[in-house]
Amino acid sequence: MSVLLDVKNLRTHFHTHRGLVKAVDGVSFHINEKEIVGLVGESGCGKSVSMLSVMQLIAIPPGKIVSGSAMFDGHDLLKYKPKGDEMRAIRGAKIAMIFQEPMTSLNPVLTIARQVTETLELHLKMDTQTARKRAVELLKLVGIPEAESRLDNYPHQFSGGMRQRVMIAIALSCNPKILIADEPTTAVDVTTQAQLLELMQEMVNRFNTSLVIVTHNLGVVARYADRIYVMYAGRIVESGLSEDIFLRPLHPYTIGLLKSVPQLGQTKSDRELVPISGLPPNLIDMPQNCAFLPRCSYHKERCRLEPWPELHAVGAQHYVSCYVDTRETS
Amino acid sequence: MQNNVTNSVEPTAWSEVAPAQSEFRRVIRVFFSRKIAVVGLVLIVLLVITAIFAPWLAPYPPNDIDMANTLAKPSGDHWLGTDNLGRDVLSRIIYGARTSLIIAVGATAMSVVLGEILGLIAAYFGGIVFQIIMRFIDALMAVPMLLVALIMASLLGGGVKNVILALGVGMLSVHARMMCAQALSVKQNDYILAARSMGMGDMRMMIQEIVPNAFPALVVVATVGLGAVILAEAGLSFLGVGVMPPYPAWGKMISDGYKYILSNPALAFSPGIAIMLVVFGFNMMGDGLRDALDPRLRGVV
Amino acid sequence: MNAHQNNNLIEIKNLKMYFPITKGLLRRKVGDVKAVDDISFDIKQNETLGLVGESGCGKTTTGRCILRLYQPTSGSIVFNGTDISSIPEKQVRPLRRHMGAIFQDPYGSLNPRQSARTIAGMPLIVHHMIDKKDLDDKVAELFNLVGLDSSMMDRVPHEFSGGQRQRLGIARALACNPSLIVCDEPISALDVSIQAQIINLLEKLQKSLGLTYLFIAHDLSVVQHISDRVAVMYLGRIVEIANSKELYQSPLHPYTKALLSAVPVPNPVRERERVRIVLKGEVPSPAHPPTGCHFHPRCSIASAECEEFIPPLNTISGTHQVSCLKV
C-alpha cells in the first residue's frame, strides 16, 4: 500500500479580534491508496479546517496556514498558490470534496446538467455532447432514477439525499485519487444516510479512490473506515485501525466519547451513559499543556506540568497522545 | 501560561466559555471602526448642537430685516451675505437647523410609532388583519410621499405642525412595512414557539419577545428616515407648501435664493449644502448602525 | 390497555393534523398535507415515550398538537382527564403550565435579548405564580436543579455554550412544575460529548421530579436509550410501538427493521456482522402519500392488499403494537 497524501505538522491559525485561534495546531496524517479514513471529532476541533487547508480553501485572512507540508504526487500542495493553476488542477480532478449541505453546495440557478458537465469540460476537456453523455452515466451510477430526463432539472427539484448523490457524481466525475467527504450525511435522515454511505463505499471501490470521511458521528465511520484519526482542540489525539479505536481506545477522550454515546440495543437500565464533564475548550489563548486535561478523569501531575504530548506508537498502527497509560488506570 | 496550568485543576476552570463581550460594546466598536459612519455622527451632532444653541450661535436674529443692506455679498459682517430682505443668511441657516430637526424628529416619531404598531399587529395576527392593514399601507405607498404631503399641506395649509403631520403620514408606510417584515421573520424563531407553549398572552408576546428583536433594524431605518424627512421638508418648503415665512427653513431659502443664483450664489447654495451635509450625515450614520447592529455580522467581526 | 386507564397522563385517540395547501389569490384549498394521519397512543405517569422517525414523518407536529401549538384537525388529546384538543386558545393558556417544552435548537429557542433570569422565570411571570421579590430565589433554585451556576443569571443566551443553553431551556420548561415535558430533538444540536450530559440530566430530573416525557428524536439509539416505550412513525402514522428493548430485539414492521439496521453502531465488529437493509427510493411527500399502507412502495414484503388497505395498529403481545398486514 502506498501513501497518496502525506500531511505533516499542519498548523492553520485564524486571527480574530478576540485573539489567535489555533484551529489546527500540528496535525500529521496520511492517506493510503484505496483506503477509507475517518476523521472524527466534535465541532470546532479542526477536522474540517485540516481538510480545507490541504485543499487550500481556507479564507485568508482571517485564516493562515502557518506551517506544514502536504505531499501529494511528489509535490507539496501547500507550496502552491491557493488560486494558482497548479492548485486548480488538483481540486476537483485529483482531490475532490463533498460538503455537508447539499442545499447550498449546488448552485440553485444552474441545471444539474450544467453543474455535472462543468468539471468534465474543465478538467477532462470533454466537448458538450460527450460531457452530457458522461453525466448521464454518472448520475445512473449514483442511483438517480430516470437520469436522462432529470438532467435538465434544477437542484430544488431534487430531495436532499438526491442532491448529495449528485454531489457524489460531480466529485467522482474526474476519477479523483482522493474523495474528501465533509460531514456528508449530517443533513440527511438515517435511512438516506445508510444509502449514501453504501453508495460511497461502492463508488470508491469501483473507482479505486481513497475516501476521507470527516464526521462527528462515531457510528458512521465504524462500519466503513479502515483507519481513524480522532481530533480534539486542533490536534490528533489518537489514530489507529478502526478496531483499535473502537475496541481498544487508549486516549481518555476517545474512551470518554465511546462511553458517552448510547448504543443501539442498550437502554438506560442496561448501561448508564458516562458523559465527559465540562465543555470543549475555547481555542483562543490555549495553554501549552494537554487541552483535554480539564475534562480528563485519568490526568496525573505530569499532564499539568509538561506540554501536550506527541503522538507515540502503542501498536502496529495505533498512536496515542497521552502521558497516562489508561490501560493501567482502568 | 504556567499560571493557567496550575489553576486548571478544577474541570471547569477554563473549559468554561469565555464570556462574550457585551453586545453594547461590540456595537460601539464596530460603529466606530467605520470612518464614514463617524463622519456622519459628527455631522449629526453638529446639527443638534446648532439647533439647540441657535440663539447663541447666530450673529443676528434670523428675521431682522435690514432694507438698507439687501443682497449683500459675503463679508466680515455677514459671512454668507444677506438675502433680498437684508436678513443674515448664516443666522437663518442656523435657525433653519432648528426647523429641520424639529420637523424631522416630529414626523419620524409619528410615523415610527404609528407605522410600527400597524406593522406589528399585521405581522403578529396575520390572516385577514394582515391583509387589511398591509393593503392599506400598500395603497399609501403607491402615492408618492411628496404627493401625499402636498395634498395634506394644501388641505391643512403650511406651518410646522402640518408639515410634521403630512410627512409623518408620508413616511408611515416605510416604517409599517419594515416592522411587518421584521416581525414576520422574528416570529419564525423557536423562542416565539417556546413563549406560546408556556401560555404567554398576545400583548406580552409582542412587546417582550418580538419588538426587542426587531429593534436594531428599526433603528437603522428610522435614522435613514430622518434624512429623508429633512429632504422632503426642504422640497415642500421649496414648493411653498411647507414652513411658512418668515420662519427660517432651508428649502424656502433655496427657493427664495435661486432667483439670484448668478449674482449671489451663496444665497441658494449655502442652505443647499446644509441640506446635503445633514442628509449625508443621517445616511452614513444609518449605514454604520446597520453594520454594527446586523446580526449576520455578530461574532464574525 | 383499559387496565392502565387511570394511570395514563395523556391519551391520544385518532389524532389528525392536516395542513391545507392553498393556491392562487383566493387561497383556494387544493389539498392537504397530512402531517399526522390518525394516530393513537397514550403515555403513563412517570413514563418516557420515545417518538422516532425521519424528517417529515409528523413527530414534531404530534408534539406541537399535544402542546396545543396547533389546533388538531380531529381526534382527541386527553391530558389529565381533560380533552384539550378543541378547547379555545384562551382556555388552553392556563393549562400550559402543566406542560413544558424543550426545543431542538438551543440557539433559536431562547430570546437573544433577554437575560437568563427572565428566560427561566418567564413561565412563572406569565402565570402570575411568583412575586417579583421571590424571582431570584426561584430562578436560582431552577438553575441549581439543571446544573447551572446561579451567578450566570444576568447573562444573555449568547454568553452561554450550547449545552448550557439547553440546560437553561430545561430550567424554563421546569419552572411551573409541569407534569409532562415534550422534548423535541433536545440533544441533536449539541456536541457529541455534551449530549450524554443532557440525557443524564433529563433522566435524573425524571426520577427526582416524577416527570413524564414525550421524547421526540430522529436518532433511534438515543431514543431507545432514554425511553421506556418507543413509537415509530412513518409518513404521519405510527407503524409500531413497543418496549424499548423489545423493539430492538424483535422489530416486526419492515420499516422499523430498516430503520434499526440503518442506525450506525460505534463498534466495527458488530457493524460488520449486521445486515444492512437499504431501503429503495425516498420518503414520499405527505401531500401525496401512497394509498393503503404508506410504506408499501418501499416495502420488500408488500403485496396487492397493502396498496389497498390501511393496516390497523394491532396489539401483538402486551405492549407491542404493529401496523402491518403481513405480521
Side-chain angles (χ1 to χ4, degrees):
Chain A
M1 243 196 297
S2 63
V3 176
L4 259 182
L5 175 71
D6 194 9
V7 177
K8 286 244 151 65
N9 202 25
L10 178 70
R11 285 173 206 273
T12 307
H13 296 177
F14 289 86
H15 292 274
T16 69
H17 73 266
R18 286 169 64 192
L20 182 68
V21 174
K22 296 180 179 174
V24 176
D25 202 25
V27 160
S28 303
F29 62 92
H30 67 273
I31 293 152
N32 295 325
E33 245 173 29
K34 299 182 202 170
E35 186 184 36
I36 301 184
V37 174
L39 188 57
V40 185
E42 295 174 88
S43 56
C45 73
K47 55 190 192 302
S48 293
V49 176
S50 310
M51 286 304 158
L52 291 171
S53 301
V54 170
M55 298 285 273
Q56 296 231 42
L57 288 171
I58 295 288
I60 305 170
K64 190 174 191 315
I65 298 174
V66 181
S67 74
S69 65
M71 297 306 289
F72 178 78
D73 255 359
H75 296 283
D76 184 355
L77 296 183
L78 301 183
K79 291 251 160 43
Y80 291 150
K81 286 202 186 74
K83 288 183 178 157
D85 289 340
E86 292 114 326
M87 204 60 229
R88 232 174 251 158
I90 301 273
R91 278 189 220 125
K94 301 272 176 59
I95 306 179
M97 238 177 141
I98 47 182
F99 297 95
Q100 173 177 347
E101 274 300 329
M103 301 298 226
T104 49
S105 39
L106 284 169
N107 187 338
V109 297
L110 298 180
T111 60
I112 295 298
R114 272 288 298 282
Q115 306 193 48
V116 182
T117 53
E118 197 183 352
T119 31
L120 293 169
E121 290 171 20
L122 184 74
H123 289 297
L124 302 181
K125 312 277 179 260
M126 284 187 185
D127 60 69
T128 318
Q129 277 312 308
T130 339
R132 222 182 134 81
K133 259 184 217 147
R134 179 74 185 135
V136 174
E137 281 170 33
L138 282 166
L139 292 183
K140 276 186 183 157
L141 213 56
V142 295
I144 291 186
E146 299 148 46
E148 285 99 339
S149 60
R150 302 219 63 181
L151 206 53
D152 292 310
N153 284 6
Y154 287 90
H156 72 266
Q157 291 164 297
F158 282 66
S159 69
M162 283 296 159
R163 269 187 283 233
Q164 205 58 305
R165 283 171 192 264
V166 173
M167 286 308 296
I168 294 173
I170 295 175
L172 292 171
S173 59
C174 298
N175 212 343
K177 294 264 181 59
I178 300 175
L179 174 62
I180 299 172
D182 189 356
E183 301 271 8
T185 58
T186 308
V188 297
D189 277 316
V190 219
T191 55
T192 315
Q193 168 173 293
Q195 292 174 344
L196 289 174
L197 289 169
E198 291 288 326
L199 173 73
M200 275 199 277
Q201 189 185 35
E202 191 196 321
M203 289 296 117
V204 295
N205 282 341
R206 182 193 283 255
F207 286 82
N208 289 327
T209 307
S210 297
L211 174 66
V212 183
I213 304 176
V214 180
T215 180
H216 68 278
N217 188 335
L218 288 164
V220 165
V221 286
R223 187 182 184 103
Y224 301 98
D226 302 307
R227 267 184 328 116
I228 287 165
Y229 290 96
V230 181
M231 277 190 83
Y232 187 77
R235 298 217 191 184
I236 288 169
V237 293
E238 186 165 4
S239 74
L241 299 175
S242 190
E243 286 81 357
D244 291 332
I245 299 293
F246 285 104
L247 305 180
R248 297 176 289 278
L250 287 176
H251 195 279
Y253 177 62
T254 320
I255 297 173
L257 271 188
L258 287 167
K259 279 189 184 164
S260 70
V261 292
Q263 284 207 17
L264 197 61
Q266 292 178 328
T267 61
K268 54 189 167 188
S269 47
D270 298 327
R271 182 176 73 116
E272 208 177 313
L273 301 182
V274 187
I276 303 176
S277 66
L279 300 169
N282 133 36
L283 294 170
I284 298 167
D285 303 325
M286 294 253 292
Q288 305 249 292
N289 59 350
C290 174
F292 189 63
L293 169 67
R295 308 175 74 185
C296 184
S297 49
Y298 295 91
H299 72 269
K300 291 192 168 147
E301 191 62 20
R302 191 179 172 195
C303 305
R304 282 201 265 130
L305 302 174
E306 292 186 37
W308 200 329
E310 296 294 315
L311 280 173
H312 57 92
V314 283
Q317 298 204 55
H318 195 172
Y319 296 85
V320 63
S321 128
C322 186
Y323 289 122
V324 182
D325 190 342
T326 47
R327 281 169 296 194
E328 287 171 8
T329 327
S330 56
Chain B
M1 275 303 163
Q2 210 56 38
N3 257 345
N4 238 339
V5 176
T6 38
N7 285 339
S8 61
V9 194
E10 272 302 296
T12 47
W14 49 262
S15 55
E16 188 67 32
V17 268
Q21 74 190 122
S22 87
E23 179 74 5
F24 181 70
R25 275 175 55 197
R26 192 193 62 82
V27 169
I28 296 293
R29 185 179 56 78
V30 177
F31 184 85
F32 281 96
S33 67
R34 305 275 188 282
K35 281 200 188 68
I36 197 85
V38 178
V39 171
L41 179 69
V42 169
L43 284 171
I44 301 312
V45 169
L46 282 177
L47 172 77
V48 173
I49 291 174
T50 312
I52 294 173
F53 298 104
W56 291 274
L57 290 172
Y60 300 91
N63 296 329
D64 266 18
I65 297 171
D66 179 3
M67 290 313 272
N69 199 9
T70 58
L71 297 172
K73 296 266 190 245
S75 65
D77 284 345
H78 298 280
W79 288 5
L80 293 173
T82 58
D83 67 4
N84 56 346
L85 296 173
R87 296 174 294 196
D88 181 53
V89 172
L90 179 64
S91 303
R92 287 184 69 75
I93 287 182
I94 291 173
Y95 274 89
R98 238 181 204 194
T99 318
S100 289
L101 199 65
I102 289 170
I103 289 174
V105 171
T108 305
M110 179 185 143
S111 57
V112 163
V113 170
L114 279 179
E116 286 174 4
I117 289 174
L118 284 175
L120 180 61
I121 289 173
Y124 183 78
F125 290 102
I128 187 78
V129 179
F130 175 89
Q131 294 297 340
I132 291 171
I133 294 180
M134 291 323 278
R135 291 302 84 84
F136 167 70
I137 297 292
D138 284 347
L140 208 56
M141 212 168 183
V143 188
M145 184 175 93
L146 218 55
L147 193 62
V148 175
L150 262 174
I151 295 165
M152 292 201 57
S154 41
L155 287 176
L156 303 168
V160 173
K161 264 188 220 152
N162 288 341
V163 173
I164 289 178
L165 197 63
L167 293 176
V169 172
M171 291 293 286
L172 192 69
S173 53
V174 175
H175 295 288
R177 286 181 70 97
M178 188 66 201
M179 182 66 196
C180 185
Q182 283 296 311
L184 282 176
S185 95
V186 171
K187 238 177 93 177
Q188 300 299 317
N189 283 302
D190 270 0
Y191 55 80
I192 300 299
L193 210 58
R196 270 192 69 203
S197 78
M198 69 175 78
M200 195 183 276
D202 296 329
M203 203 59 188
R204 194 192 285 271
M205 189 92 94
M206 284 192 270
I207 291 168
Q208 293 196 352
E209 305 286 329
I210 295 179
V211 172
N213 287 292
F215 200 66
L218 303 179
V219 170
V220 175
V221 173
T223 309
V224 178
L226 283 166
V229 170
I230 288 181
L231 205 58
E233 176 267 323
L236 287 182
S237 299
F238 182 88
L239 294 170
V241 288
V243 178
M244 286 295 121
Y247 214 79
W250 293 344
K252 183 72 182 141
M253 288 173 74
I254 297 178
S255 76
D256 289 344
Y258 84 101
K259 296 163 217 153
Y260 312 101
I261 199 141
L262 293 177
S263 57
N264 200 346
L267 234 63
F269 275 106
S270 43
I273 289 170
I275 293 170
M276 203 189 77
L277 285 178
V278 166
V279 174
F280 173 81
F282 277 119
N283 285 349
M284 290 308 115
M285 205 168 102
D287 271 10
L289 280 174
R290 191 194 54 215
D291 289 350
L293 296 168
D294 192 335
R296 278 169 301 180
L297 288 171
R298 208 158 285 162
V300 178
V301 182
Chain C
M1 287 239 293
N2 285 330
H4 302 292
Q5 204 77 48
N6 310 328
N7 212 354
N8 288 342
L9 180 65
I10 195 152
E11 287 169 18
I12 289 166
K13 287 236 158 57
N14 307 98
L15 181 70
K16 287 183 185 171
M17 182 70 228
Y18 294 175
F19 295 100
I21 311 167
T22 55
K23 245 193 186 148
L25 253 178
L26 296 171
R27 312 266 156 147
R28 200 161 39 87
K29 192 176 136 184
V30 292
D32 280 311
V33 173
K34 298 180 177 177
V36 175
D37 194 11
D38 197 356
I39 63 170
S40 305
F41 63 86
D42 38 49
I43 312 175
K44 290 192 257 310
Q45 288 282 2
N46 215 355
E47 183 190 41
T48 302
L49 179 77
L51 199 53
V52 74
E54 298 181 281
S55 53
C57 73
K59 55 189 193 300
T60 295
T61 309
T62 306
R64 289 185 182 175
C65 283
I66 292 173
L67 290 166
R68 264 304 303 274
L69 292 171
Y70 296 146
Q71 163 90 55
T73 310
S74 69
S76 70
I77 302 168
V78 177
F79 176 71
N80 246 344
T82 335
D83 186 353
I84 59 165
S85 61
S86 51
I87 56 177
E89 174 80 16
K90 276 244 150 59
Q91 288 171 42
V92 177
R93 268 179 209 160
L95 289 173
R96 288 209 169 116
R97 77 189 167 89
H98 302 293
M99 301 179 187
I102 303 169
F103 296 87
Q104 169 174 7
D105 182 3
Y107 296 81
S109 64
L110 306 175
N111 188 334
R113 301 202 173 260
Q114 287 174 349
S115 69
R117 174 193 288 107
T118 312
I119 290 172
M122 190 58 93
L124 295 162
I125 302 170
V126 165
H127 293 289
H128 308 291
M129 285 167 69
I130 197 153
D131 281 336
K132 263 245 149 68
K133 60 175 172 20
D134 300 328
L135 187 65
D136 272 21
D137 290 341
K138 178 66 192 176
V139 172
E141 195 183 298
L142 285 168
F143 269 39
N144 189 28
L145 205 58
V146 299
L148 284 174
D149 195 310
S150 53
S151 66
M152 301 204 259
M153 258 193 251
D154 288 310
R155 292 195 185 176
V156 289
H158 78 271
E159 294 173 296
F160 288 93
S161 71
Q164 289 173 329
R165 282 180 224 211
Q166 203 54 298
R167 285 174 196 266
L168 183 56
I170 295 172
R172 171 174 65 187
L174 293 175
C176 293
N177 282 326
S179 38
L180 174 76
I181 295 191
V182 176
C183 312
D184 191 354
E185 299 270 11
I187 62 154
S188 53
L190 302 176
D191 264 329
V192 192
S193 73
I194 304 297
Q195 292 186 350
Q197 295 178 5
I198 301 297
I199 295 177
N200 284 3
L201 173 65
L202 288 172
E203 282 173 3
K204 188 194 91 185
L205 291 170
Q206 178 167 45
K207 264 183 220 139
S208 59
L209 303 174
L211 296 168
T212 305
Y213 290 143
L214 175 65
F215 193 93
I216 301 167
H218 68 280
D219 186 339
L220 195 47
S221 42
V222 171
V223 172
Q224 223 187 14
H225 180 90
I226 198 168
S227 308
D228 300 301
R229 284 188 304 140
V230 176
V232 181
M233 279 187 85
Y234 183 78
L235 217 57
R237 294 187 188 147
I238 289 179
V239 296
E240 190 162 1
I241 307 185
N243 278 334
S244 203
K245 203 84 205 186
E246 202 174 335
L247 189 83
Y248 171 75
Q249 280 163 351
S250 50
L252 293 172
H253 197 280
Y255 177 66
T256 314
K257 288 179 187 168
L259 197 60
L260 277 165
S261 86
V263 177
V265 174
N267 182 330
V269 176
R270 255 181 86 192
E271 265 293 344
R272 281 163 200 164
E273 283 168 0
R274 291 168 74 210
V275 182
R276 180 161 282 186
I277 307 168
V278 176
L279 285 177
K280 47 192 175 183
E282 306 206 319
V283 185
S285 147
H288 308 283
T291 55
C293 171
H294 281 172
F295 188 61
H296 83 258
R298 308 177 73 191
C299 183
S300 53
I301 55 167
S303 63
E305 54 174 353
C306 298
E307 283 176 45
E308 220 173 305
F309 303 106
I310 301 173
L313 196 62
N314 289 326
T315 305
I316 301 298
S317 65
T319 54
H320 199 155
Q321 292 172 288
V322 65
S323 148
C324 181
L325 297 172
K326 299 285 170 188
V327 175

